[in-house]
Coordinates of all heavy atoms in Angstrom, one line a residue:
M1 N 99.1 108.2 158.1 CA 99.1 107.2 157.0 C 100.5 106.6 156.8 O 101.5 107.4 156.8 CB 98.6 107.9 155.7 CG 98.9 107.3 154.4 SD 98.2 108.2 153.0 CE 96.5 108.5 153.5
A2 N 100.5 105.3 156.7 CA 101.8 104.7 156.4 C 102.3 105.1 155.1 O 101.5 105.5 154.3 CB 101.6 103.1 156.6
L3 N 103.6 104.9 154.9 CA 104.2 105.2 153.6 C 104.5 103.9 152.8 O 104.4 102.8 153.4 CB 105.5 105.9 153.9 CG 105.5 107.2 154.6 CD1 106.9 107.7 155.0 CD2 104.8 108.3 153.8
M4 N 104.7 104.1 151.6 CA 105.0 102.9 150.7 C 106.1 103.3 149.7 O 106.3 104.5 149.5 CB 103.8 102.4 150.0 CG 103.2 103.5 149.0 SD 101.8 102.9 148.1 CE 102.5 102.0 146.8
I5 N 106.8 102.3 149.3 CA 107.9 102.6 148.3 C 107.4 102.0 147.0 O 107.0 101.0 146.8 CB 109.2 101.8 148.7 CG1 109.7 102.4 150.0 CG2 110.3 101.9 147.7 CD1 110.8 101.7 150.7
T6 N 107.5 102.9 145.9 CA 107.0 102.6 144.7 C 108.0 101.8 143.9 O 109.2 101.6 144.3 CB 106.6 103.8 143.8 OG1 107.9 104.6 143.5 CG2 105.7 104.8 144.6
D7 N 107.6 101.3 142.7 CA 108.6 100.4 141.9 C 109.7 101.3 141.2 O 110.5 100.8 140.5 CB 107.8 99.7 140.9 CG 107.0 100.5 139.8 OD1 107.1 101.8 140.0 OD2 106.3 99.9 139.0
E8 N 109.7 102.7 141.5 CA 110.7 103.4 141.0 C 112.0 103.3 141.9 O 113.1 103.9 141.6 CB 110.4 104.9 141.0 CG 109.3 105.2 140.0 CD 108.7 106.6 140.2 OE1 109.0 107.3 141.1 OE2 107.8 107.0 139.4
C9 N 111.9 102.6 143.0 CA 113.1 102.3 143.9 C 114.2 101.7 143.2 O 114.1 100.8 142.3 CB 112.6 101.3 145.1 SG 113.9 100.8 146.2
I10 N 115.4 102.2 143.4 CA 116.6 101.8 142.8 C 117.5 100.9 143.8 O 118.6 100.6 143.5 CB 117.5 103.0 142.2 CG1 117.8 103.9 143.4 CG2 116.7 103.6 141.1 CD1 118.9 105.0 142.9
N11 N 116.9 100.5 144.9 CA 117.6 99.7 145.8 C 119.0 100.3 146.3 O 120.0 99.5 146.3 CB 117.8 98.3 145.3 CG 116.6 97.5 145.2 OD1 115.8 97.4 146.1 ND2 116.3 97.0 144.0
C12 N 119.0 101.5 146.6 CA 120.3 102.2 146.9 C 120.6 102.0 148.4 O 121.7 102.3 148.8 CB 120.1 103.7 146.7 SG 118.9 104.6 147.6
D13 N 119.7 101.4 149.2 CA 120.0 101.0 150.5 C 120.1 102.2 151.6 O 120.4 102.0 152.7 CB 121.3 100.3 150.8 CG 121.3 99.0 149.9 OD1 120.3 98.4 149.8 OD2 122.4 98.7 149.3
V14 N 119.7 103.4 151.1 CA 119.8 104.5 152.1 C 118.7 104.7 153.1 O 118.8 105.2 154.1 CB 120.2 105.9 151.4 CG1 121.4 105.9 150.6 CG2 119.0 106.4 150.5
C15 N 117.5 104.2 152.7 CA 116.3 104.4 153.5 C 116.2 103.5 154.7 O 115.9 103.9 155.8 CB 115.0 104.3 152.7 SG 114.8 102.7 151.9
E16 N 116.6 102.2 154.5 CA 116.5 101.3 155.6 C 117.1 101.6 156.9 O 116.4 101.5 157.9 CB 117.0 99.8 155.1 CG 116.8 98.8 156.1 CD 117.4 97.5 155.6 OE1 118.3 97.5 154.8 OE2 116.9 96.4 156.1
P17 N 118.3 102.0 156.9 CA 118.9 102.3 158.2 C 118.4 103.7 158.8 O 118.5 103.9 160.0 CB 120.4 102.4 157.9 CG 120.5 102.8 156.5 CD 119.3 102.1 155.9
E18 N 117.7 104.5 158.1 CA 117.1 105.7 158.6 C 115.9 105.5 159.4 O 115.4 106.4 160.2 CB 116.9 106.7 157.5 CG 118.1 107.2 156.8 CD 119.1 107.9 157.7 OE1 118.7 108.7 158.6 OE2 120.3 107.7 157.6
C19 N 115.2 104.4 159.2 CA 113.9 104.2 159.9 C 114.0 103.8 161.3 O 114.5 102.8 161.6 CB 113.1 103.1 159.1 SG 111.5 102.8 159.8
P20 N 113.5 104.7 162.2 CA 113.7 104.4 163.6 C 112.8 103.2 164.1 O 113.0 102.7 165.2 CB 113.2 105.7 164.3 CG 112.3 106.4 163.3 CD 112.9 105.9 162.0
N21 N 111.8 102.9 163.4 CA 110.8 101.8 163.7 C 111.2 100.5 163.0 O 110.5 99.5 163.2 CB 109.4 102.2 163.4 CG 109.0 103.4 164.2 OD1 109.3 103.5 165.3 ND2 108.2 104.3 163.5
E22 N 112.2 100.4 162.2 CA 112.7 99.2 161.5 C 111.5 98.7 160.6 O 111.3 97.5 160.5 CB 113.2 98.2 162.5 CG 114.4 98.6 163.2 CD 114.9 97.6 164.2 OE1 114.2 96.6 164.5 OE2 116.0 97.8 164.7
A23 N 110.8 99.6 159.9 CA 109.7 99.3 159.2 C 110.1 99.0 157.7 O 109.3 98.4 156.9 CB 108.6 100.4 159.1
I24 N 111.3 99.4 157.3 CA 111.8 99.2 155.9 C 112.6 98.0 155.9 O 113.4 97.8 156.7 CB 112.5 100.5 155.5 CG1 111.7 101.7 155.6 CG2 113.1 100.2 154.0 CD1 112.3 103.0 155.2
Y25 N 112.3 97.2 154.8 CA 113.1 95.9 154.7 C 113.2 95.6 153.2 O 112.5 96.2 152.4 CB 112.4 94.7 155.4 CG 111.0 94.5 154.8 CD1 110.8 93.6 153.9 CD2 109.9 95.2 155.3 CE1 109.5 93.3 153.4 CE2 108.6 95.0 154.8 CZ 108.5 94.0 153.8 OH 107.1 93.8 153.3
Q26 N 114.2 94.8 152.8 CA 114.4 94.4 151.4 C 113.4 93.4 151.0 O 113.3 92.3 151.6 CB 115.8 93.8 151.2 CG 116.1 93.4 149.8 CD 116.1 94.5 148.8 OE1 116.8 95.5 149.0 NE2 115.3 94.4 147.8
G27 N 112.5 93.8 150.0 CA 111.5 92.9 149.5 C 112.1 92.1 148.4 O 113.3 92.0 148.3
E28 N 111.2 91.4 147.7 CA 111.7 90.5 146.6 C 112.4 91.2 145.5 O 113.5 90.8 145.1 CB 110.5 89.7 146.0 CG 110.8 88.3 145.8 CD 109.5 87.6 145.4 OE1 108.8 87.2 146.3 OE2 109.4 87.3 144.2
E29 N 111.9 92.4 145.1 CA 112.6 93.2 144.1 C 113.0 94.6 144.5 O 114.0 95.1 144.0 CB 111.6 93.4 142.9 CG 111.3 92.0 142.3 CD 110.4 92.1 141.0 OE1 110.4 93.3 140.5 OE2 109.7 91.1 140.7
I30 N 112.3 95.2 145.4 CA 112.6 96.6 145.9 C 112.4 96.6 147.4 O 111.9 95.6 148.0 CB 111.7 97.6 145.2 CG1 110.3 97.4 145.6 CG2 112.0 97.7 143.8 CD1 109.3 98.4 145.1
Y31 N 112.9 97.6 148.0 CA 112.6 97.8 149.4 C 111.1 98.0 149.7 O 110.4 98.5 148.8 CB 113.3 99.0 150.0 CG 114.8 98.6 150.4 CD1 115.8 98.8 149.4 CD2 115.1 98.1 151.6 CE1 117.1 98.4 149.7 CE2 116.4 97.7 151.9 CZ 117.4 97.9 151.0 OH 118.7 97.5 151.3
E32 N 110.6 97.6 150.8 CA 109.2 97.7 151.2 C 109.1 98.2 152.6 O 110.1 98.2 153.3 CB 108.5 96.3 151.0 CG 108.6 95.7 149.6 CD 107.9 94.4 149.5 OE1 107.0 94.1 150.4 OE2 108.2 93.7 148.6
I33 N 107.8 98.7 152.9 CA 107.6 99.3 154.2 C 106.5 98.5 154.9 O 105.4 98.3 154.3 CB 107.3 100.8 154.1 CG1 108.4 101.6 153.6 CG2 106.8 101.3 155.5 CD1 108.1 103.1 153.3
D34 N 106.7 98.0 156.1 CA 105.7 97.3 156.9 C 104.7 98.4 157.4 O 105.1 99.2 158.3 CB 106.4 96.6 158.0 CG 105.4 95.8 158.8 OD1 104.1 96.0 158.7 OD2 105.8 95.0 159.7
P35 N 103.5 98.5 157.0 CA 102.6 99.6 157.4 C 102.2 99.4 158.9 O 101.9 100.4 159.5 CB 101.3 99.3 156.5 CG 101.4 98.0 156.0 CD 102.9 97.6 156.0
S36 N 102.5 98.3 159.5 CA 102.1 98.1 160.9 C 103.2 98.8 161.8 O 103.0 98.9 163.0 CB 101.9 96.6 161.3 OG 103.2 95.9 161.2
R37 N 104.4 99.0 161.2 CA 105.5 99.7 162.0 C 105.8 101.1 161.5 O 106.5 101.8 162.2 CB 106.7 98.8 161.8 CG 106.6 97.4 162.3 CD 108.0 96.7 162.4 NE 108.9 97.3 163.4 CZ 108.8 97.1 164.7 NH1 107.9 96.3 165.2 NH2 109.7 97.7 165.4
C38 N 105.2 101.5 160.4 CA 105.5 102.9 159.9 C 104.6 103.9 160.6 O 103.4 103.8 160.6 CB 105.3 102.9 158.4 SG 105.5 104.6 157.7
T39 N 105.2 104.9 161.2 CA 104.6 106.0 161.9 C 104.9 107.3 161.1 O 104.6 108.4 161.7 CB 105.0 106.1 163.3 OG1 106.4 106.4 163.4 CG2 104.7 104.8 164.1
Q40 N 105.5 107.3 160.0 CA 106.0 108.4 159.3 C 107.0 109.3 160.2 O 107.0 110.5 160.2 CB 104.8 109.4 158.8 CG 104.0 108.8 157.7 CD 103.1 109.8 157.1 OE1 103.4 111.0 157.2 NE2 102.1 109.4 156.4
C41 N 107.6 108.5 161.0 CA 108.6 109.1 162.1 C 107.9 110.0 163.1 O 108.6 110.6 163.9 CB 109.7 109.9 161.4 SG 110.8 108.7 160.5
V42 N 106.6 109.9 163.2 CA 105.9 110.6 164.3 C 106.4 110.0 165.6 O 106.6 108.8 165.8 CB 104.3 110.4 164.3 CG1 103.7 110.7 165.5 CG2 103.8 111.1 163.1
G43 N 106.8 110.9 166.5 CA 107.4 110.5 167.8 C 108.8 110.5 167.8 O 109.5 110.5 168.9
H44 N 109.4 110.4 166.7 CA 110.9 110.5 166.5 C 111.4 111.7 165.9 O 112.3 112.4 166.4 CB 111.4 109.3 165.6 CG 111.1 107.9 166.3 ND1 111.9 107.4 167.3 CD2 110.2 107.0 166.0 CE1 111.5 106.2 167.6 NE2 110.5 105.9 166.9
F45 N 110.8 112.1 164.8 CA 111.3 113.3 163.9 C 110.2 114.0 163.5 O 109.0 113.5 163.4 CB 112.1 112.7 162.8 CG 113.4 112.0 163.1 CD1 113.3 110.6 163.0 CD2 114.6 112.6 163.6 CE1 114.5 109.8 163.4 CE2 115.7 111.9 164.0 CZ 115.6 110.4 163.9
D46 N 110.4 115.3 163.0 CA 109.4 116.1 162.4 C 108.9 115.7 161.0 O 107.8 116.0 160.5 CB 109.8 117.5 162.4 CG 110.0 118.1 163.7 OD1 109.3 117.7 164.8 OD2 110.8 119.1 164.0
T47 N 109.8 115.0 160.3 CA 109.5 114.6 158.9 C 110.0 113.1 158.8 O 110.9 112.7 159.4 CB 110.2 115.5 157.9 OG1 111.7 115.4 158.1 CG2 109.8 116.9 157.9
P48 N 109.3 112.4 157.8 CA 109.9 111.0 157.6 C 111.3 111.0 157.1 O 111.5 111.6 156.1 CB 108.8 110.5 156.5 CG 107.6 111.4 156.7 CD 108.2 112.7 157.1
Q49 N 112.1 110.4 157.8 CA 113.5 110.4 157.4 C 113.8 109.6 156.1 O 114.7 110.0 155.4 CB 114.3 109.7 158.6 CG 114.2 110.5 159.9 CD 114.7 111.9 159.7 OE1 115.8 112.2 159.6 NE2 113.8 112.8 159.6
C50 N 113.0 108.5 155.8 CA 113.2 107.9 154.5 C 113.0 108.8 153.3 O 113.7 108.7 152.3 CB 112.4 106.6 154.4 SG 110.6 106.9 154.6
I51 N 112.0 109.6 153.4 CA 111.7 110.5 152.3 C 112.8 111.6 152.3 O 113.2 111.9 151.1 CB 110.3 111.2 152.6 CG1 109.2 110.3 152.4 CG2 110.2 112.5 151.7 CD1 107.8 110.8 152.7
E52 N 113.3 112.0 153.4 CA 114.4 113.0 153.4 C 115.7 112.5 152.6 O 116.4 113.2 152.0 CB 114.8 113.3 154.8 CG 113.8 114.0 155.6 CD 113.6 115.5 155.1 OE1 114.6 116.2 154.7 OE2 112.4 115.9 155.1
V53 N 116.0 111.2 152.7 CA 117.2 110.6 152.2 C 117.0 110.0 150.8 O 118.0 109.7 150.1 CB 117.9 109.6 153.1 CG1 118.3 110.4 154.4 CG2 117.1 108.4 153.3
C54 N 115.8 109.7 150.4 CA 115.5 109.0 149.1 C 116.0 109.8 147.9 O 115.5 110.9 147.7 CB 114.1 108.6 149.0 SG 113.7 107.7 147.5
P55 N 117.0 109.3 147.1 CA 117.4 110.1 146.0 C 116.5 110.1 144.8 O 116.7 111.0 143.9 CB 118.8 109.4 145.6 CG 118.5 108.0 146.0 CD 117.7 108.1 147.3
V56 N 115.5 109.3 144.7 CA 114.6 109.2 143.6 C 113.1 109.5 143.9 O 112.3 109.3 143.1 CB 114.7 107.8 142.9 CG1 116.0 107.6 142.2 CG2 114.4 106.7 143.8
D57 N 112.9 110.0 145.2 CA 111.5 110.3 145.5 C 110.5 109.3 145.3 O 109.4 109.5 144.7 CB 111.1 111.6 144.9 CG 112.0 112.8 145.3 OD1 112.4 112.9 146.4 OD2 112.2 113.7 144.4
C58 N 110.8 108.1 145.7 CA 109.8 106.9 145.4 C 109.1 106.5 146.8 O 108.4 105.5 146.7 CB 110.6 105.7 144.9 SG 111.8 105.0 146.0
I59 N 109.1 107.3 147.8 CA 108.4 107.0 148.9 C 107.2 107.9 149.1 O 107.4 109.2 149.2 CB 109.3 107.0 150.2 CG1 110.5 106.1 150.0 CG2 108.6 106.7 151.5 CD1 111.6 106.2 151.0
V60 N 106.0 107.4 149.1 CA 104.8 108.1 149.1 C 103.8 107.6 150.1 O 103.9 106.5 150.6 CB 104.1 108.1 147.6 CG1 105.1 108.7 146.6 CG2 103.8 106.6 147.2
P61 N 102.8 108.4 150.5 CA 101.7 107.9 151.4 C 101.1 106.7 150.8 O 100.8 106.6 149.5 CB 100.9 109.1 151.5 CG 101.6 110.3 151.2 CD 102.6 109.8 150.1
D62 N 100.8 105.8 151.6 CA 100.1 104.5 151.2 C 98.6 104.7 151.3 O 98.1 104.8 152.4 CB 100.6 103.4 152.0 CG 100.0 102.0 151.6 OD1 99.1 102.0 150.8 OD2 100.5 101.0 152.0
P63 N 97.9 104.8 150.2 CA 96.5 105.1 150.2 C 95.6 103.9 150.9 O 94.5 104.1 151.3 CB 96.1 105.2 148.8 CG 97.1 104.5 148.0 CD 98.3 104.7 148.8
N64 N 96.3 102.8 151.0 CA 95.6 101.6 151.6 C 95.7 101.6 153.2 O 95.1 100.7 153.9 CB 96.1 100.3 151.1 CG 95.8 100.2 149.6 OD1 94.7 100.5 149.1 ND2 96.7 99.7 148.9
H65 N 96.5 102.6 153.7 CA 96.7 102.6 155.1 C 96.6 104.1 155.7 O 97.6 104.6 156.2 CB 98.1 102.0 155.4 CG 98.2 100.5 155.2 ND1 98.6 100.1 154.0 CD2 97.7 99.4 155.9 CE1 98.6 98.8 154.0 NE2 98.0 98.3 155.1
A66 N 95.4 104.6 155.5 CA 95.2 106.0 155.9 C 95.1 106.0 157.5 O 94.5 105.2 158.1 CB 93.9 106.5 155.4
E67 N 95.9 107.0 158.1 CA 95.9 107.1 159.5 C 96.0 108.6 159.9 O 96.7 109.3 159.2 CB 97.1 106.4 160.2 CG 97.0 104.8 160.0 CD 98.3 104.2 160.4 OE1 99.3 104.3 159.6 OE2 98.3 103.5 161.4
T68 N 95.4 109.0 161.0 CA 95.5 110.3 161.4 C 96.8 110.5 162.2 O 97.5 109.5 162.6 CB 94.4 110.7 162.4 OG1 94.4 109.8 163.6 CG2 93.0 110.5 161.7
D69 N 97.2 111.7 162.5 CA 98.4 112.0 163.3 C 98.2 111.3 164.7 O 99.2 110.8 165.3 CB 98.6 113.5 163.5 CG 99.2 114.1 162.2 OD1 99.6 113.4 161.3 OD2 99.1 115.3 162.1
E70 N 97.0 111.3 165.2 CA 96.7 110.7 166.5 C 97.0 109.2 166.5 O 97.5 108.6 167.4 CB 95.3 111.1 167.1 CG 95.2 112.5 167.4 CD 94.9 113.3 166.2 OE1 94.5 112.9 165.1 OE2 95.1 114.6 166.3
Q71 N 96.5 108.6 165.4 CA 96.7 107.1 165.3 C 98.2 106.8 165.1 O 98.6 105.8 165.6 CB 95.9 106.6 164.1 CG 94.4 106.6 164.3 CD 93.6 106.4 163.0 OE1 93.9 106.9 161.9 NE2 92.6 105.4 163.1
L72 N 98.9 107.6 164.4 CA 100.4 107.5 164.2 C 101.0 107.6 165.5 O 102.0 106.8 165.8 CB 100.9 108.4 163.2 CG 100.5 108.2 161.7 CD1 100.9 109.3 160.9 CD2 101.0 106.8 161.2
Q73 N 100.6 108.5 166.3 CA 101.2 108.7 167.7 C 101.0 107.5 168.5 O 101.9 107.0 169.3 CB 100.7 110.0 168.4 CG 101.2 110.3 169.7 CD 102.7 110.6 169.7 OE1 103.3 111.2 168.8 NE2 103.4 110.1 170.8
T74 N 99.7 107.0 168.5 CA 99.4 105.8 169.3 C 100.3 104.5 168.9 O 100.7 103.8 169.7 CB 97.9 105.5 169.2 OG1 97.1 106.6 169.7 CG2 97.5 104.2 169.9
K75 N 100.4 104.4 167.5 CA 101.2 103.4 167.0 C 102.6 103.5 167.5 O 103.2 102.5 167.9 CB 101.2 103.3 165.5 CG 101.9 102.1 164.9 CD 102.0 102.1 163.4 CE 100.8 102.4 162.6 NZ 101.1 102.4 161.1
Y76 N 103.2 104.7 167.4 CA 104.5 105.0 168.0 C 104.7 104.5 169.4 O 105.6 103.9 169.8 CB 104.9 106.4 167.8 CG 106.0 106.9 168.7 CD1 107.3 106.6 168.4 CD2 105.7 107.6 169.8 CE1 108.4 107.0 169.3 CE2 106.7 108.0 170.7 CZ 108.0 107.7 170.4 OH 109.1 108.2 171.2
E77 N 103.7 105.0 170.2 CA 103.8 104.6 171.7 C 103.7 103.1 171.9 O 104.3 102.6 172.8 CB 102.6 105.3 172.4 CG 102.8 106.8 172.4 CD 101.6 107.6 172.9 OE1 100.6 107.0 173.2 OE2 101.6 108.8 172.9
K78 N 102.9 102.4 171.1 CA 102.8 101.0 171.2 C 104.2 100.3 170.8 O 104.6 99.3 171.4 CB 101.7 100.4 170.4 CG 100.4 100.6 171.0 CD 99.2 100.1 170.1 CE 97.9 100.5 170.7 NZ 96.8 100.0 169.8
L79 N 104.7 100.8 169.7 CA 106.0 100.3 169.3 C 107.2 100.5 170.2 O 108.1 99.7 170.3 CB 106.4 100.8 167.9 CG 105.5 100.4 166.7 CD1 105.8 101.3 165.5 CD2 105.8 98.9 166.4
T80 N 107.1 101.6 170.9 CA 108.2 101.9 171.8 C 108.0 101.6 173.3 O 108.8 101.8 174.1 CB 108.6 103.4 171.7 OG1 107.4 104.2 172.0 CG2 109.1 103.8 170.3
S81 N 106.8 101.0 173.6 CA 106.5 100.6 174.9 C 107.4 99.5 175.4 O 107.7 98.6 174.7 CB 105.0 100.2 175.0 OG 104.7 99.7 176.2
T82 N 107.7 99.6 176.6 CA 108.6 98.6 177.2 C 107.7 97.6 178.1 O 108.2 96.6 178.6 CB 109.6 99.2 178.2 OG1 109.0 99.9 179.2 CG2 110.6 99.9 177.4
A83 N 106.4 97.9 178.1 CA 105.5 97.0 178.9 C 105.1 95.7 178.2 O 105.2 95.6 177.0 CB 104.2 97.8 179.3

């Protein structure tokens, strides 16, 4: 399942550079996560790096983008494919 950033975000800028898929970007008011690029760090790390660094715990699973571990792995492989 892709992650999302809630409105509790304080725009501290620590999550964006941690995302290996470049899924996090500055939205109109808070940082946002592109669900088409978020793999919860599957393929890169054991845990989502944005959650690890967020000081206010505002990054949660996105209920509108439920995915299995296998789907996240497939997404990772597509995002990192050189073909």
Side-chain angles (χ1 to χ4, degrees):
M1 156 175 320
L3 300 172
M4 63 181 275
I5 298 175
T6 69
D7 60 5
E8 295 170 356
C9 175
I10 59 172
N11 290 308
C12 66
D13 303 322
V14 298
C15 61
E16 183 183 25
E18 295 299 318
C19 181
N21 296 320
E22 299 179 347
I24 300 174
Y25 61 95
Q26 179 64 55
E28 221 171 282
E29 295 183 24
I30 60 173
Y31 277 90
E32 298 181 21
I33 297 177
D34 179 349
S36 70
R37 298 191 65 81
C38 178
T39 64
Q40 289 192 26
C41 290
V42 167
H44 293 284
F45 301 102
D46 292 334
T47 59
Q49 298 301 287
C50 58
I51 291 175
E52 294 289 323
V53 299
C54 181
V56 292
D57 298 325
C58 68
I59 303 172
V60 297
D62 184 343
N64 296 319
H65 294 96
E67 296 169 289
T68 65
D69 288 341
E70 292 79 19
Q71 289 171 315
L72 291 171
Q73 180 66 35
T74 299
K75 187 192 304 186
Y76 159 76
E77 290 169 3
K78 287 180 182 176
L79 287 170
T80 59
S81 172
T82 57

